[in-house]
Amino acid sequence: SAVISQKPSRDICQRGTSLTIQCQVDSQVTMMFWYRQQPGQSLTLIATANQGSEATYESGFVIDKFPISRPNLTFSTLTVSNMSPEDSSIYLCSATSRVTNTEAFFGQGTRLTVV
Amino acid sequence: AQTVTQSQPEMSVQEAETVTLSCTYDTSESDYYLFWYKQPPSRQMILVIRQEAYKQQNATENRFSVNFQKAAKSFSLKISDSQLGDAAMYFCAYRSARLTGTASKLTFGTGTRLQVTL
């Protein structure tokens, strides 16, 4: 299984600022994804991080608010821009193993609180 | 679009007993994967078990097994000999077998919170 390191694990941010979350995988993976989990809710996909090209965003999420980079096969970042209290959530990075190309593995998540 | 439904927001089981968590899904695809993930308070999403739709045999991983009914689009998780460490949120998830881009994303159910009592 792939080991995914995500940081920071938590942060408290002022409204109007931006936070960049990093995701590092210990082995080559095929797909990388970013999910949001609002308090007490399920996971919702924000976007698919594509290597060397623009991310593919799900309905309701836009690049200006959630810019994503993936400069190589094992690293991606998600920025939450111009934050408001409604952005307070857990953000999770996920990757699909290149070996099996089936199950997805997750980072430990970033708990973001916007005040 | 695929949907995943978990109709049990909360379940409780006594230690050493057996509990079954329900999941149904809707899809027009014939080839896909189904998963159960566990999320303890630490937030880490942990893969519990997976099932390939083309396999008729139900998947088993130690104390965890599934009852996969493809025609009924049902995918329940049975936990045997429940332990205190099994207490967590459990999410059922669907993934297309197509490998291209966003098609390989996971679609999650709303989750079932499992309590394990002494």
Side-chain angles (χ1 to χ4, degrees):
Chain A
S1 63
V3 175
I4 301 178
S5 300
Q6 188 175 334
K7 59 181 181 181
S9 60
R10 60 178 63 227
D11 208 340
I12 301 173
C13 300
Q14 297 289 324
R15 66 177 67 201
T17 63
S18 298
L19 176 71
T20 295
I21 303 168
Q22 298 182 358
C23 178
Q24 177 73 55
V25 190
D26 71 340
S27 56
Q28 288 196 351
V29 295
T30 53
M31 307 301 298
M32 292 184 76
F33 303 93
W34 287 97
Y35 290 85
R36 182 175 74 181
Q37 186 178 24
Q38 294 181 301
Q41 309 259 333
S42 186
L43 284 74
T44 300
L45 182 66
I46 297 172
T48 304
N50 300 309
Q51 186 203 353
S53 65
E54 194 170 286
T56 304
Y57 289 84
E58 296 295 298
S59 176
F61 297 96
V62 295
I63 187 172
D64 290 345
K65 177 66 176 177
F66 299 101
I68 288 170
S69 77
R70 187 181 175 189
N72 57 53
L73 284 173
T74 61
F75 185 77
S76 179
T77 66
L78 166 73
T79 298
V80 186
S81 302
N82 189 25
M83 289 183 283
S84 66
E86 292 72 34
D87 295 320
S88 297
S89 289
I90 297 170
Y91 292 86
L92 295 116
C93 170
S94 173
T96 305
S97 167
R98 178 175 286 272
V99 175
T100 64
N101 209 10
T102 54
E103 61 265 31
F105 301 97
F106 287 81
Q108 69 270 42
T110 297
R111 183 183 293 277
L112 171 63
T113 302
V114 184
V115 297
Chain B
Q2 294 80 22
T3 58
V4 178
T5 301
Q6 293 179 251
S7 58
Q8 304 156 316
E10 289 191 11
M11 293 284 285
S12 183
V13 62
Q14 282 192 319
E15 200 177 16
E17 296 297 308
T18 296
V19 64
T20 298
L21 308 184
S22 301
C23 173
T24 59
Y25 59 94
D26 189 27
T27 183
S28 58
E29 298 181 319
S30 58
D31 199 10
Y32 49 87
Y33 303 100
L34 295 165
F35 307 92
W36 280 97
Y37 282 89
K38 169 185 176 181
Q39 188 180 41
S42 67
R43 305 193 304 267
Q44 180 80 52
M45 292 287 284
I46 302 166
L47 178 66
V48 174
I49 199 166
R50 80 174 196 201
Q51 175 79 44
E52 291 88 344
Y54 65 84
K55 290 186 177 179
Q56 291 188 335
Q57 186 173 8
N58 290 323
T60 299
E61 287 286 344
N62 301 314
R63 297 182 295 107
F64 299 89
S65 61
V66 299
N67 183 4
F68 173 49
Q69 302 289 327
K70 191 172 184 179
K73 295 179 180 174
S74 170
F75 181 61
S76 61
L77 174 70
K78 185 171 81 172
I79 306 174
S80 304
D81 186 24
S82 296
Q83 301 175 359
L84 293 176
D86 294 333
M89 280 291 286
Y90 285 82
F91 291 97
C92 178
Y94 170 101
R95 207 211 93 169
S96 169
R98 288 181 290 155
L99 301 179
T100 54
T102 193
S104 60
K105 69 182 182 183
L106 289 170
T107 299
F108 287 91
T110 50
T112 297
R113 182 173 302 281
L114 179 66
Q115 292 183 320
V116 181
T117 59
L118 293 171

